[in-house]
Amino acid sequence: MSLFSIIIPVYNKGNHIQNTISSVLNQTNQDFEIIVVNDGSTDHSLDVIKSINDKRIKLFTIENKGVSHARNFGLTKASSEFIAFLDADDYWFPNHLETFLMLYNKFPNCGLYATAYTCKIGDLEIASEYYKIPKTPNWMGIVNNYFESSTINGIAWTSAVMIPKHIFSSIGNFDEAITLGAGEDTDLWMRIALKHSVAFSNTVTAYYMLDADNRITNSNTNLRHFLNLDQYEDEAKHNDSLKKYLDINRYAIAIQYKLVGNNKKASEYIKKLDFNNLNKKQRFLLYLNTPLLKLFMNLKVFLRNKGMFLSSFN
């Protein structure tokens, strides 16, 4: 039995899947199986996957039911104790699995293991920033407060986490009611973090490829079914950092709805948040109407293309 089961859901990623799988095959730790779940792709993804000759690749083709269903299907096929996820357009550095093994050996009783990642858009690389996480090179440790440390960039990101398989038995899998990448991963990390310790390495081991084709987060906001943040409100009454984290996520969803002119849905999220949990930039953006908000977002993209990265989360 392999040490790691790597689950890669694929939907129309023919232009990226070769590079993604190659990044797995180039790992310094070679003790893994790769479970590729072809989620009903209609492009040349399947041909590319079949052209890769490695006996550790297990390919399954299923009816298209979304990324949560594909990942959950992959979990049923996983034989290893350590589960790692990799989206079909992202990229692992060679030290990715090796870093997870070191993290686990140092902190064997956690429910979630995560490493730092860098966002990549063309040749532009944007380093992730984590609140109250030491910047000492190659730091590893238990995250003191997962929700507080995830208010700038999330401690956990799907292509840079490892979860012991037994955790899913008590926590559950990805919520398939959340559609089109509208927070199914965030929801799972929250459930784990509320029950288990989270270990983190600030060593960057992955690229989050933001300019890839057919990204699910580019889907029509009005067609997406977002995670249910309200289900955590009882817990948040006794957890200020969780409440702030929920409100920051409400802010982010409200902004997405405002950008598509759906002020009714945006207001549903805005009325539930405490503005004291938002910074000045976030409060300012929420007050803008749709045309002005789009203008600011276009300015952000323009400056980003010039090498200047602006964020409302710091």
Side-chain angles (χ1 to χ4, degrees):
M1 184 174 69
S2 302
L3 187 62
F4 296 95
S5 290
I6 300 158
I7 298 174
I8 305 178
V10 181
Y11 179 70
N12 290 354
K13 294 293 183 178
N15 293 334
H16 305 283
I17 188 61
Q18 174 84 51
N19 194 47
T20 295
I21 293 179
S22 292
S23 76
V24 179
L25 298 178
N26 289 331
Q27 290 297 298
T28 54
N29 186 309
Q30 290 281 304
D31 192 3
F32 55 76
E33 63 176 2
I34 304 175
I35 299 170
V36 180
V37 183
N38 174 39
D39 190 25
S41 294
T42 58
D43 68 348
H44 60 293
S45 295
L46 198 55
D47 293 334
V48 175
I49 297 164
K50 288 181 176 179
S51 73
I52 304 172
N53 184 22
D54 193 294
K55 64 182 181 180
R56 292 170 296 183
I57 298 175
K58 301 176 181 179
L59 173 62
F60 302 91
T61 294
I62 61 175
E63 179 184 353
N64 178 254
K65 293 185 179 180
V67 68
S68 292
H69 179 78
R71 291 188 187 127
N72 289 340
F73 178 88
L75 282 170
T76 68
K77 303 299 181 182
S79 63
S80 309
E81 172 54 22
F82 299 145
I83 307 297
F85 297 98
L86 177 58
D87 285 347
D89 49 13
D90 292 324
Y91 180 89
W92 283 353
F93 296 176
N95 64 336
H96 186 73
L97 294 179
E98 178 185 355
T99 303
F100 274 135
L101 187 56
M102 289 191 293
L103 197 57
Y104 175 80
N105 287 336
K106 195 169 184 179
F107 308 103
N109 299 313
C110 295
L112 178 67
Y113 298 84
T115 63
Y117 54 92
T118 292
C119 296
K120 200 170 191 301
I121 308 170
D123 294 329
L124 177 65
E125 296 186 7
I126 305 166
S128 294
E129 183 179 348
Y130 308 98
Y131 187 58
K132 291 189 176 180
I133 295 294
K135 295 184 178 181
T136 307
N138 301 315
W139 178 86
M140 292 183 176
I142 301 295
V143 179
N144 182 54
N145 188 323
Y146 173 84
F147 301 105
E148 184 179 35
S149 290
S150 296
T151 52
I152 301 176
N153 289 112
I155 287 290
W157 163 60
T158 311
S159 292
V161 298
M162 182 189 79
I163 302 171
K165 190 176 183 182
H166 69 269
I167 294 295
F168 294 97
S169 299
S170 58
I171 297 298
N173 296 351
F174 290 96
D175 186 347
E176 296 183 22
I178 303 169
T179 62
L180 299 175
E184 76 290 332
D185 45 3
T186 299
D187 174 70
L188 180 59
W189 317 150
M190 289 175 68
R191 281 185 273 138
I192 296 175
L194 284 169
K195 300 293 184 182
H196 299 275
S197 297
V198 176
F200 183 72
S201 168
N202 69 0
T203 300
V204 174
T205 68
Y207 275 139
Y208 186 2
M209 309 298 282
L210 296 179
D211 59 349
D213 301 336
N214 193 38
R215 293 190 65 234
I216 195 170
T217 49
N218 292 335
S219 304
N220 185 333
T221 299
N222 288 320
L223 299 178
R224 305 170 81 186
H225 191 285
F226 285 90
L227 75 162
N228 177 16
L229 296 168
D230 296 343
Q231 66 182 312
Y232 299 103
E233 275 301 323
D234 285 343
E235 185 89 26
K237 292 176 182 177
H238 313 287
N239 188 332
D240 291 342
S241 61
L242 173 59
K243 171 58 178 171
K244 182 174 182 177
Y245 182 77
L246 293 175
D247 284 346
I248 289 173
N249 276 274
R250 289 188 174 103
Y251 153 79
I253 296 172
I255 288 293
Q256 292 184 59
Y257 275 121
K258 291 195 74 169
L259 283 169
V260 296
N262 192 337
N263 291 318
K264 180 179 179 181
K265 289 295 293 185
S267 64
E268 291 177 10
Y269 286 90
I270 293 171
K271 69 182 181 182
K272 293 178 181 178
L273 61 80
D274 181 348
F275 275 73
N276 292 319
N277 284 327
L278 304 184
N279 62 37
K280 292 180 180 179
K281 288 185 286 187
Q282 291 164 345
R283 292 195 293 267
F284 170 74
L285 291 173
L286 277 183
Y287 282 124
L288 297 179
N289 59 31
T290 296
L292 280 175
L293 185 59
K294 285 184 176 180
L295 180 65
F296 270 85
M297 292 303 172
N298 288 334
L299 176 61
K300 175 184 175 180
V301 172
F302 173 80
L303 292 174
R304 184 188 69 193
N305 292 337
K306 299 294 184 180
M308 299 173 59
F309 183 69
L310 302 179
S311 172
S312 64
F313 293 94
N314 56 10

